[in-house]
Amino acid sequence: MSIANSATSEDVGSAAQRERRKRILDATYELAKSGGFDAVQMRAVAEQADVALGTLYRYFPSKIHLLVSALGRQFEEASARLNERDIPGDTQAERVLYVLKRMARGMQGDPKLTEALTRAFMFADSSVTNEIHVVGMAMTSIVTHAMHGGVPDEGALTEEDVAIARVIGDVWLSALVAWVTGRSTAADTATHMEKAVHLILRD
Amino acid sequence: MSIANSATSEDVGSAAQRERRKRILDATYELAKSGGFDAVQMRAVAEQADVALGTLYRYFPSKIHLLVSALGRQFEEASARLNERDIPGDTQAERVLYVLKRMARGMQGDPKLTEALTRAFMFADSSVTNEIHVVGMAMTSIVTHAMHGGVPDEGALTEEDVAIARVIGDVWLSALVAWVTGRSTAADTATHMEKAVHLILRD
DNA sequence: AATCGTGGTGGAACGTGTTCCAAATTATGC
DNA sequence: GCATAATTTGGAACACGTTCCACCACGATT
């Protein structure tokens, strides 16, 4: 997995630069995983990645860019893992819920990491559009893949499919924020998602 | 220590205290309206409200509490205004869209204010649960009221109604965040909401 | 009226994101 | 191999949210 940023997918720069970029994203990941959003401090990232603060800012113009880039890497990996297997379930709703629950389990296993990345996503402004778009596409891809039961043929997506996937993604995001910020429990979130998916996908 | 606590615009405290609280919220509103999230600086709010910084923090323990309280006031006013009139439209979807578009128009007229309040809402953690709840209830109330065409009888809400209202609120929130952060235009947002509502309310 | 206690004031100080800069190091073209 | 350009470094400095503190003001109690 050539780290860097497959999102905006720059395989650009010298080997040393790609190496620095990887170290920075790795450090971000580790700090987020162990301490959440607040623990990802720019000075700490720089130190752990063994670069100067100015260099960190040269690679990622803000803490938000940094975290959203890390989130993009995560989502692309998750999307790739999920899309290479068939999704169990007899209805669209079942399959979508299967996938969402799987993701939810993964996130609950790393709550600090999830908190850091979600917060960054929510706080991102238009300067982060590219990185955000990567995340949105991965989410849509995951849901539509589940709706279609794992067929690798992605060409057969109707507008309706994409609209549905976006709505589900929206609900998922709201639920995620509520969970991350401690305003709802994991169980509440699961229940809410279940209701929402059945409401939207009545097959 | 009975003051501070906002959430549901309490009538607690002396007249002087209520007056201070009002001045603070007004100052917050003005600053947010003219300069957005970044312009709501605690020192600036304190100065404009003519209170000391320490006093500001005594009334609102953080910038987020302050902004979410202001958002709550806004939403309660909007909810009250909308709930006293009948909603036009022949179907649930039409009526809900009418209300959402009305709110959207109001928000687009004050983009900075909307940005400030939305950002705060997204960033709020569990210490802001009470204030957040006020906003969520107002949103749910607005949507269910629209669904039922303006009947004042709120007792007839089914679980399903509330679930639907919550899902619509979620989509609305995600769309709002995308718009506020400059990742989608007002027109995109309107289109997306329309699709979503018709998807959820197929009457 | 004197006292007491709650809350308000003014301002210093700290933490962290961000910016800036001069010096050192590395990469590139000739 | 050298001159020049580009990048990295180390660290100072700044902005703003937040905390803290010593002192002041005013209303209630005696």
Side-chain angles (χ1 to χ4, degrees):
Chain A
M1 55 191 105
S2 90
I3 284 13
N5 184 353
S6 36
T8 46
S9 56
E10 8 243 357
D11 284 331
V12 294
S14 68
Q17 283 169 341
R18 283 200 303 276
E19 171 60 25
R20 272 199 195 87
R21 196 187 168 81
K22 175 185 182 323
R23 285 207 312 272
I24 291 172
L25 282 177
D26 289 347
T28 303
Y29 179 90
E30 291 302 328
L31 287 167
K33 184 167 174 167
S34 66
F37 187 86
D38 289 343
V40 181
Q41 299 181 359
M42 300 306 267
R43 290 171 179 84
V45 171
E47 185 178 1
Q48 184 155 332
D50 203 35
V51 296
L53 190 56
T55 307
L56 172 53
Y57 273 93
R58 161 175 268 274
Y59 280 73
F60 298 94
S62 78
K63 175 171 175 173
I64 299 298
H65 283 81
L66 179 56
L67 281 166
V68 175
S69 296
L71 177 62
R73 195 170 76 169
Q74 286 293 104
F75 255 68
E76 283 190 329
E77 284 172 15
S79 171
R81 266 197 310 278
L82 278 167
N83 284 357
E84 76 189 10
R85 80 182 65 199
D86 278 359
I87 310 298
D90 294 335
T91 64
Q92 291 198 332
E94 275 179 30
R95 289 191 295 272
V96 168
L97 281 171
Y98 171 83
V99 164
L100 292 181
K101 280 180 183 164
R102 224 166 174 291
M103 291 181 65
R105 217 174 310 129
M107 295 180 136
Q108 283 161 32
D110 262 326
K112 302 277 196 174
L113 181 65
T114 303
E115 184 246 4
L117 301 186
T118 304
R119 277 230 147 95
F121 188 90
M122 291 290 89
F123 218 63
D125 66 8
S126 60
S127 74
V128 203
T129 303
N130 291 341
E131 289 87 342
I132 294 277
H133 193 240
V134 172
V135 178
M137 291 302 285
M139 185 72 206
T140 302
S141 160
I142 288 170
V143 175
T144 54
H145 176 76
M147 283 167 62
H148 288 163
V151 293
D153 169 24
E154 301 278 359
L157 287 183
T158 66
E159 284 230 0
E160 172 99 349
D161 287 342
V162 176
I164 289 175
R166 277 192 65 193
V167 171
I168 291 176
D170 287 346
V171 179
W172 162 263
L173 203 58
S174 293
L176 193 58
V177 171
W179 175 65
V180 152
T181 55
R183 307 199 305 263
S184 75
T185 67
D188 289 341
T189 304
T191 305
H192 179 52
M193 284 307 303
E194 198 136 358
K195 272 188 204 155
V197 168
H198 281 126
L199 216 49
I200 297 164
L201 291 171
R202 311 178 242 225
D203 43 13
Chain B
M1 48 179 344
S2 54
I3 304 84
N5 187 10
S6 63
T8 49
S9 29
E10 327 280 354
D11 286 330
V12 297
S14 70
Q17 284 167 342
R18 283 201 304 276
E19 173 59 25
R20 272 197 195 87
R21 181 167 218 283
K22 175 179 183 325
R23 284 208 313 273
I24 291 172
L25 283 178
D26 289 346
T28 303
Y29 179 90
E30 291 302 329
L31 287 167
K33 184 166 174 168
S34 64
F37 187 87
D38 289 343
V40 181
Q41 298 182 359
M42 300 305 268
R43 290 172 178 85
V45 171
E47 185 178 0
Q48 183 155 333
D50 203 35
V51 296
L53 190 55
T55 306
L56 173 53
Y57 273 94
R58 162 175 269 272
Y59 280 73
F60 298 94
S62 77
K63 173 170 173 171
I64 298 297
H65 283 82
L66 178 57
L67 280 166
V68 175
S69 296
L71 178 62
R73 199 172 70 167
Q74 287 293 102
F75 256 69
E76 283 187 331
E77 285 172 14
S79 171
R81 264 198 311 276
L82 278 166
N83 284 357
E84 75 188 12
R85 82 181 65 198
D86 278 359
I87 310 295
D90 295 335
T91 64
Q92 291 198 332
E94 274 178 32
R95 289 191 294 272
V96 168
L97 281 172
Y98 171 83
V99 164
L100 292 182
K101 280 180 183 164
R102 224 163 174 296
M103 292 180 65
R105 215 172 314 128
M107 294 180 137
Q108 283 159 31
D110 263 326
K112 302 277 195 176
L113 180 66
T114 304
E115 184 246 6
L117 301 185
T118 305
R119 277 231 146 95
F121 190 88
M122 292 289 88
F123 219 63
D125 66 8
S126 60
S127 74
V128 201
T129 303
N130 290 342
E131 289 86 345
I132 292 278
H133 194 241
V134 172
V135 177
M137 292 302 284
M139 184 73 206
T140 302
S141 160
I142 288 170
V143 175
T144 55
H145 176 76
M147 283 167 63
H148 288 164
V151 294
D153 169 25
E154 301 278 359
L157 286 184
T158 67
E159 284 230 0
E160 172 98 349
D161 286 342
V162 175
I164 288 176
R166 275 193 66 194
V167 171
I168 290 176
D170 287 348
V171 179
W172 162 263
L173 203 59
S174 294
L176 194 57
V177 171
W179 175 64
V180 151
T181 56
R183 307 198 307 265
S184 74
T185 67
D188 288 342
T189 305
T191 306
H192 179 51
M193 284 307 303
E194 198 137 358
K195 273 189 200 154
V197 169
H198 280 126
L199 216 49
I200 297 165
L201 289 172
R202 309 178 246 222
D203 43 11

